[in-house]
Amino acid sequence: MTIDIKRIDGSAAGSVELPDSVFGIEPNIAVMHQAVKMYLANQRQGTHKTKSRGEVSGSTRKPWRQKGRGTARAGHTRSPLWVGGGTVHGPHPHEYRQTMPKKMRQLARRSALSLKARSNEIVVVENLDFAAAKTRPFADMLRALDAQGKKALVLVREQNDTLMKSARNIARCEVIEAKNVSTYDLLNNQVLVIERGSVDLLVDQLSNNDGQ
């Protein structure tokens, strides 16, 4: 697949060949679904906690005699039936982490990139270097690329603090290093802006079976 390369002002800067092995395969919906589930599960901290009847404060003394008062029997004030009592079958800390084989994770990302390419939601930009960390030039770039107002993901080849700071005030826009992008990130946007150098990085990473 051949796609046009644009400059940050929207003008044409040539074209680039996107290999079918990464951007032109038949998307595997099942693997993408599994990768997204894994990503979301791994974001959970698993630190939720409630106190059982053995952990709440209070006495284990029987509050009144079993019979004769005309009231319901009670064993102690830490019962789940009482205000301030313990919680029955409440959540406790545990691990939610899931894993997938490396080749499946790669297939999921190739499928996501192919799906975005098939939907014409990929824009390749020649260079994303900005002179200063200012929001206006970045917003102007999104407008020139017809990405303003859309949920956008910008992939850069390497850490770029100036670009990160320029984009952080833009709503629904995120900048990620291409090597760290997940299947969830690739799918959770309306337009995918890829720096020219990131294309080569993605192809190399996903073609040589050394990706995340």
Side-chain angles (χ1 to χ4, degrees), residues 139-176:
D140 291 340
M141 179 196 72
L142 293 179
R143 186 180 302 108
L145 299 178
D146 194 29
Q148 187 181 32
K150 299 179 180 179
K151 191 168 187 178
L153 175 65
V154 181
L155 298 184
V156 294
R157 182 174 179 83
E158 56 189 13
Q159 180 74 22
N160 188 328
D161 291 336
T162 301
L163 184 65
M164 299 282 187
K165 292 177 181 178
S166 299
R168 64 186 176 185
N169 286 332
I170 303 292
R172 306 174 70 206
C173 181
E174 187 174 8
V175 179
I176 300 178

Side-chain angles (χ1 to χ4, degrees), residues 64-74:
W64 52 70
R65 64 181 185 271
Q66 182 81 346
K67 305 172 75 67
R69 296 183 76 245
T71 57
R73 51 192 153 186

Side-chain angles (χ1 to χ4, degrees), residues 23 32 36 105-106 108-116 121-122 153 155 174 176 178 180-192 194 202 206:
F23 293 88
M32 285 193 293
V36 170
R105 297 198 304 269
Q106 290 178 320
R109 288 197 290 169
R110 288 200 302 269
S111 296
L113 289 170
S114 298
L115 189 62
K116 302 298 284 188
E121 295 179 354
I122 293 181
L153 175 65
L155 298 184
E174 187 174 8
I176 300 178
N180 297 328
V181 70
S182 67
T183 303
Y184 177 85
D185 296 323
L186 292 173
L187 295 174
N188 190 32
N189 61 79
Q190 295 172 295
V191 58
L192 183 60
I194 307 179
L202 287 171
L206 297 178

Side-chain angles (χ1 to χ4, degrees), residues 16-17 157 195-205:
V16 61
E17 181 70 24
R157 182 174 179 83
E195 190 177 25
R196 173 65 183 87
S198 298
V199 174
D200 297 331
L201 187 148
L202 287 171
V203 172
D204 182 66
Q205 190 178 57

Side-chain angles (χ1 to χ4, degrees), residues 18 25 31 44 80-81 86-87 91-92 98 111 130 134-135 156 163 168 172 181 184-185 201 210:
L18 300 181
I25 69 171
V31 172
R44 302 184 68 174
L81 302 179
T87 300
H92 293 282
Q98 299 179 12
S111 296
F130 288 87
K134 295 184 177 180
T135 303
V156 294
L163 184 65
R168 64 186 176 185
R172 306 174 70 206
V181 70
Y184 177 85
D185 296 323
L201 187 148
D210 59 356

Side-chain angles (χ1 to χ4, degrees), residues 20-39:
D20 289 340
S21 61
V22 176
F23 293 88
I25 69 171
E26 182 65 28
N28 191 315
I29 305 301
V31 172
M32 285 193 293
H33 176 255
Q34 185 175 344
V36 170
K37 283 183 60 180
M38 179 190 71
Y39 174 87

